[in-house]
Amino acid sequence: MATPSRQESLGILIGQVARRWRSRLDRRLEAFGLTEARWLTLIQLARGGSSLTQKDLAARVGVEAATLVRTLDRLEEEGLVVRREAGGDRRAKTVHLSDRAAPVLHLIEETAAALRTEVLAGVSEAELEACHAVIERIAANLAADHQAGGSGRSDGHRAA
């Protein structure tokens, strides 16, 4: 079998890097009792502003709303988040960070920054800039395809 082209192997490589990076961060934060679901939810809340609905937060985290509910239940029990009724819709809830979340977020950010320093060691600013531009373009193409309702393939197979 022929060696895959750069284009063919890029999707696999991006997936591997993302999984490994997230796994390494997850292992480091596990020592503090933070699972990936929990730290990712807290980070998305911190970056998402003060009025994210549970549905919006689930989309940002990349999970189903029902899955997020269990994570939010735990975070709420620990006093890290608060859920409130969304204005005008009693069924919808907005999620807010509590004051108790600040030191946990600091720990997550500090751990993530240390990992970024290690992972990006030896990568120049120019290389990082070029890589960022390429991945941003790929993300934009994927978002455009998603918004158009397409799968990007018509043969029923998932692209790698």
Side-chain angles (χ1 to χ4, degrees):
M1 183 169 217
T3 303
S5 70
R6 292 258 189 234
Q7 267 190 335
E8 290 173 309
S9 63
L10 184 61
I12 293 168
L13 183 59
I14 289 171
Q16 288 173 342
V17 167
R19 280 188 302 279
R20 288 176 183 163
W21 194 322
R22 191 174 276 182
S23 176
R24 189 168 296 178
L25 182 57
D26 198 32
R27 282 194 310 271
R28 291 184 185 189
L29 290 172
E30 191 176 53
F32 305 105
L34 292 166
T35 63
E36 180 180 341
R38 297 173 72 214
W39 63 257
L40 197 53
T41 299
L42 291 170
I43 288 293
Q44 289 300 325
L45 271 172
R47 293 180 180 159
S50 60
S51 62
L52 284 177
T53 64
Q54 286 184 191
K55 181 180 177 182
D56 293 337
L57 182 57
R60 284 175 177 255
V61 173
V63 298
E64 295 294 322
T67 302
L68 180 66
V69 168
R70 290 187 295 273
T71 300
L72 291 175
D73 287 345
R74 296 271 325 268
L75 292 171
E76 196 169 39
E77 287 169 12
E78 293 173 18
L80 298 174
V81 300
V82 176
R83 288 181 272 197
R84 298 184 185 120
E85 284 185 12
D89 186 353
R90 291 184 309 149
R91 295 169 298 160
K93 302 275 186 205
T94 56
V95 186
H96 308 266
L97 292 168
S98 73
D99 291 340
R100 289 182 64 184
V104 176
L105 283 164
H106 179 73
L107 175 70
I108 295 167
E109 293 287 1
E110 197 172 74
T111 304
L115 179 60
R116 278 192 301 274
T117 298
E118 291 171 30
V119 170
L120 298 173
V123 178
S124 73
E125 192 61 36
E127 290 171 316
L128 193 56
E129 194 65 38
C131 181
H132 195 274
V134 169
I135 291 175
E136 252 184 359
R137 180 65 195 155
I138 292 168
N141 289 344
L142 289 167
D145 184 59
H146 177 73
Q147 290 170 348
S151 67
R153 303 264 317 227
S154 60
D155 60 5
H157 293 91
R158 290 184 5 190

